[in-house]
Amino acid sequence: MNKYLKIDPWCILEEGFDPKNHRASESIFSIGNGRFGQRANFEETYSGETLQGNYIAGVYYPDKTRVGWWKNGYPEYFAKVLNAPSWIGLDFKIGDEILDLAKCKVHKFTRTLNMKKGYLQREFVAELPSGQQVKADIIRFISMDKPEVGAVEYKISPLTDNSTITVTSDVEGRIKNADANYGEFFWDEVNKDVSGARGFLTCRTRKTAFDVCIGAEVKADINGNTIELKCQNSQEEKYVASIFSVNVAKGEVLTIHKYASVLSSLYHDKDKLRKNADLVLQDAVKTGFASLLDTNIKVWDNKWEHSDITIEGDDEAQQGIRFNIFQLNQTYTGDDERLNIGPKGFTGEKYGGSTYWDTEAYCLPFYLCTAEQEVSRNLLKYRYKHLQKAIENGEKLGFTGGAAMYPMVTMNGEECHNEWEITFEEIHRNGAIAHAIFNYIKHTDDKQYLVDYGLEVLIGISRMWRQRVNFSEVKGKYVMLGVTGPNEYENNVNNNWYTNTIAAWTLSYTLKVIEIVKSLDQSKYNEIVKKAAFDEQKETTEWTDIIENMYYPVNENNGIFLQQDGYLDKEQLTVDDLDPKIRPLNQTWSWDRILRSCFIKQADVLQGIYLFEDRFDTETIRKNYEFYEPRTVHESSLSPCIHVIVAARIGEIEDAYSLYLRTSRLDLDDYNNEAHEGLHITSMAGTWMSVVEGFGGKRVRDEKLVLNPLIPSRWKSFSFKINFRKALLSIKVTNEEINIYNESDHTASLLIYGQEYLLSGNNNLVVKK
Amino acid sequence: MNKYLKIDPWCILEEGFDPKNHRASESIFSIGNGRFGQRANFEETYSGETLQGNYIAGVYYPDKTRVGWWKNGYPEYFAKVLNAPSWIGLDFKIGDEILDLAKCKVHKFTRTLNMKKGYLQREFVAELPSGQQVKADIIRFISMDKPEVGAVEYKISPLTDNSTITVTSDVEGRIKNADANYGEFFWDEVNKDVSGARGFLTCRTRKTAFDVCIGAEVKADINGNTIELKCQNSQEEKYVASIFSVNVAKGEVLTIHKYASVLSSLYHDKDKLRKNADLVLQDAVKTGFASLLDTNIKVWDNKWEHSDITIEGDDEAQQGIRFNIFQLNQTYTGDDERLNIGPKGFTGEKYGGSTYWDTEAYCLPFYLCTAEQEVSRNLLKYRYKHLQKAIENGEKLGFTGGAAMYPMVTMNGEECHNEWEITFEEIHRNGAIAHAIFNYIKHTDDKQYLVDYGLEVLIGISRMWRQRVNFSEVKGKYVMLGVTGPNEYENNVNNNWYTNTIAAWTLSYTLKVIEIVKSLDQSKYNEIVKKAAFDEQKETTEWTDIIENMYYPVNENNGIFLQQDGYLDKEQLTVDDLDPKIRPLNQTWSWDRILRSCFIKQADVLQGIYLFEDRFDTETIRKNYEFYEPRTVHESSLSPCIHVIVAARIGEIEDAYSLYLRTSRLDLDDYNNEAHEGLHITSMAGTWMSVVEGFGGKRVRDEKLVLNPLIPSRWKSFSFKINFRKALLSIKVTNEEINIYNESDHTASLLIYGQEYLLSGNNNLVVKK
């Protein structure tokens, strides 16, 4: 844990420069717009510890894998989000001294992430080795309005002496991924040109051949008086720069505006990339910094209007939740079904920027409630479009007949991960993909999705489950051997309760969806049957047999669902038995010790109880919560949010609150000492869930929106908005009442504390507690 | 399977050159002398498919590891036997054509490994692109007499025209390991010099700083008339060469003798390496090729005298067993306790040339019976000297109080392996190390070894087992969770019967050894107690409790010992159910499918039954054999030999014979399509065991040598020798009788077919069957 940031409801604030925190801050102050994003690297030279990172959505590289010992079925590559050419570079020489905060005395340093307005600001006074002091005030943003534009305003002023300031504005393509497995460069230059204050660099990824063109132009003024720039230019392999010098008197302010256009071949023909980058850049320059920033703020206003959660009486909690929502909104905007949400978004390289089950299990609920229906639909279609690859992946592992094994980690539908216990065994991800369809339909009632896309995916996954179980003669039941559940602190276990549960559920749901699709569109159903070579009679009979005879490990004495066979053979300890000094366990214990221990990385049985809550009475939920929560170390960022929701479900509001703080401020307070690697973007959606589904008690049941709010004692109120079917509900919870305003024209069917309500459009409902 | 070699009792013969077999032949025809060895690479240029390999015992490199995802406790490096600078190079230009069998028509090619005499021979007629034909006859050996000397005789004769033959004799240090994880060079040059026909190259391994100096000198004659060589010299980085040209008339024979000295800093001061290499080389040159070869043959005669197994009536079996014995003898000579036996010896890079449990479980029995007691004692001391490292390795994994966790793979006592399921879990290796002590004592009666070394190792290992089990409240027994047994086709299992068995046995044996050491040398015992901080009362009480309450999974219905918890939940198939086309499974099935299947890679329960046979009645052994043999795919080379022994134990002689053929000709007939990677050296000792312990029924029980021979129907007789305590017994088994001659002066106590005999020195015993 490292709590060095200031509390503020709308901003993240760092005061004073401590190089030890810089890499974490580079992550935390990251900005992006769904199309591209970057870590909060300094514009100017910085020779201290840093992780440079610029990332462009959908642009990846299949790095050669590293494995200890090859296993059949492993993928050949691990796709990685690429550290892309950087457009932010603005280097300064003050006289003949390079401005480099690692080599200056730094005074009055502040770094601000203005979440309301969507920009990054930094101020400092740097005392150079010569004694010269300069003041700087920098604003940077990536436009939410113009998705291919970024801009920097860099104000710099000599405080002690007049100075000749030499500015180098560059586009830098000589970058590597810090996690490149073999230290290779992933980019080749395609073309470049630079003239005066404008330069362009086009690079191409090796192997995948994505082209990215970056254009940049600088403008400058002193105290508001535009300077005619006489630039020298510099070109090197994968590098262009414009360089100029200006005499700046003590106290004068030199303002540089750097505009950049960042285009990729996902959106442009390669042969038009350079030209279009020019057009986008010209437009940005013409619009000007102030106006660009202004429209950016307007888009953010709109985002906040729909997705904000307010918490009165607890600024720490307020800042935490807004930080999570802010990062989610700048990572994924949902307008392109080819894109998805990497666990670190645009904030770091870890996890390769690829798609995990996080998307379906954690992110979807957020976008379902806070964004247009199309956004969630695009997330689902992403997997539909990968169905054929999932079938091929299944074949690679020995499955047959159209069984779909979705990958653990993917960019394009192909598996990237290669640790056998995850790649081949953490197959519950397929259940999450199936459940996301269920969740989407429940929320939107868009049953046409099942006809158009959903059923095919469900058949593919169900076929996989069918082949993945086997009938145990000794148990007289279907068992599932050799899996890894959500709790990755156990590997290759038999009969993981969660996986068996979601597998059987998938089979049941597929049977239901078959009936829905038949009833909606028999001819499309016939088409699907043909396309998938679906033997309805035989396959559904087999599925039904599995549903009816699946084995679920349970402690017969007390009804606790057992995470897997043999869980109770472990020495039964609780987290209280652990010396806090050895936490997190994954940083101090050897892997075998972790595996042998009873400690659980993340919600596993409770993840299943969360998903299938309706099946269990409160007493059963409580028993399992009380058994598993003390054994859970929450060393996955995806864990505490689920426990919040389950704790709230059984009325354990203070438990829920302390777990909530952990999830909402995970990165801000760096609980697991890993913020320097990037942020836990996907778990941020879990934080949102923990407020809305945990404290808000939001569910969807029997076509109704269910709310059972509870409020932590430290809060005066909290409020959030929910899209539900066609209604848009603004919900405020205080200690006394729940106030719901239906902002739409559509009536919403509600169930609040067990009482049914119909709330018509543009109307208000107050339910006293 | 690829059966292309000719059958001969004393030679391995390849006739005709097929480049497809060349890499396998390079492995099979490997030669060595325990100090250094090499694959049967051609002396002359060969541009076809080849794996170049020269290896020097004890010279290793800690290559940076490759892992998919780092786990706490992993070692930083994987030590590798190094592909060392090569001394064999003799390149030929015939006129202006390079002699390169990949670019010639090759006639009359034969390759012979003369196992009796210990040399490699090759003959061919090569038709060059110009039509010129040359005949070559090459003999190469690595001296068993002079451990730092190798020599080549290369006779070459133009058949069609007179030719100017240009010969380049080099020492080549610009070599890489084919398995280098990052394609790096592992050697740096220290110095080199070349003058006339003699050159020296000293290279140093990076990181480990082993120095190796190779000296080489060539001599030449035509038709027996010595030529005064006028050599030109060539030097490049890590390369020296002597080059000369000779006019050779059609039909004349140019004979090159190349002598080499191969010295390493394991045996010489670094600053004397060059000088000593010169001395060794001068001595070799002075001795001359014929005389060097002659003394080499004499040493081999002596080796065969002690270790040969003869089989009458079955040349295929005869060739197979001799090939195994030959390879074992040229891999390890037992005179240096720093050395050990890599699974591929000097024949390939795979498995890094490091020490595995193969040594204790498979190799030790061979050397115990066929070599001086000192050889086995050195193998044991190797582990004693690594005890401190094993304790440190244990600490790294979270063990405390002097618990020794011996590594899975090691060069210097440190763990090299990093796959968690092996590194951290395949801990039964510790049991094999303990059992080797027991086996050694049983065989030699050298109880002083327990006092001097053995007890300390046993205490360390017992402490590890103590901490590695935990008490299961639900079972009311001690369980061992998260292990990988000998059957690596299951990982991270609970209560592997073999591991639980050998763990409890280790504890029992340690208790016994404590009493033995106390009775032999109480003061040394007190020293050990102090050194190991051994709390006898407390620790032995804990061990006794574990011994008495260990859990062993068993099928209550039929008494079959279960490989691990849940084994019977698997779909129960047998090998007969498998399409032979998918064998070996590890080449066609994905890893998860292998893990989920009931198929067993290698003896696991049966390995335990083999080791602790005396505990079980024949019926129990039979039941388990009949259960497991049909489920065992024998995809480890270490597997069939154990099944031979168990099959023979229960009288299944024809089963035993067919399994024997598989083990003895594993590489010669390339059963698993992997001979090109190198030979299965350590399993070759298992082949020896399968004859002596399987067909010979050799055991040691109650201080007596037990023999219960059976003879396969195809054999007329078989014979072998055994060192037992101070006696040396030559044993011949025919269909009618067992004939034993005691070659020593010491009386041997025997138990043959249940009948006791005392056989005094220099006497014969005939037991009629």
Side-chain angles (χ1 to χ4, degrees), chain B residues 626-650:
Chain B
E626 287 175 354
F627 183 79
Y628 284 110
E629 164 54 21
R631 287 164 171 77
T632 305
V633 290
H634 296 300
E635 293 179 10
S636 162
S637 65
L638 301 175
S639 185
C641 56
I642 300 299
H643 282 233
V644 171
I645 299 168
V646 178
R649 167 66 183 77
I650 57 172

Side-chain angles (χ1 to χ4, degrees), chain B residues 359-369 439 610 688-689 693:
Chain B
T359 293
E360 284 78 17
Y362 294 87
C363 300
L364 183 77
F366 169 76
Y367 293 105
L368 268 176
C369 287
N439 208 4
Y610 160 67
W688 178 91
M689 281 159 58
E693 302 186 20

Side-chain angles (χ1 to χ4, degrees), chain A residues 120 140-141 157 211 246-247 409 523 527 620 639 682 698 713:
Chain A
L120 167 65
R140 184 164 94 215
F141 66 95
S157 175
D211 279 14
V246 200
N247 295 318
V409 178
S523 85
E527 264 178 51
T620 302
S639 185
T682 48
K698 174 249 159 188
S713 58

Side-chain angles (χ1 to χ4, degrees), chain B residues 57-80:
Chain B
V59 175
Y60 63 90
Y61 180 79
D63 199 11
K64 287 201 300 278
T65 55
R66 292 204 286 208
V67 295
W69 206 265
W70 191 262
K71 315 275 195 204
N72 280 345
Y74 272 169
E76 296 286 335
Y77 71 88
F78 188 98
K80 286 185 170 155

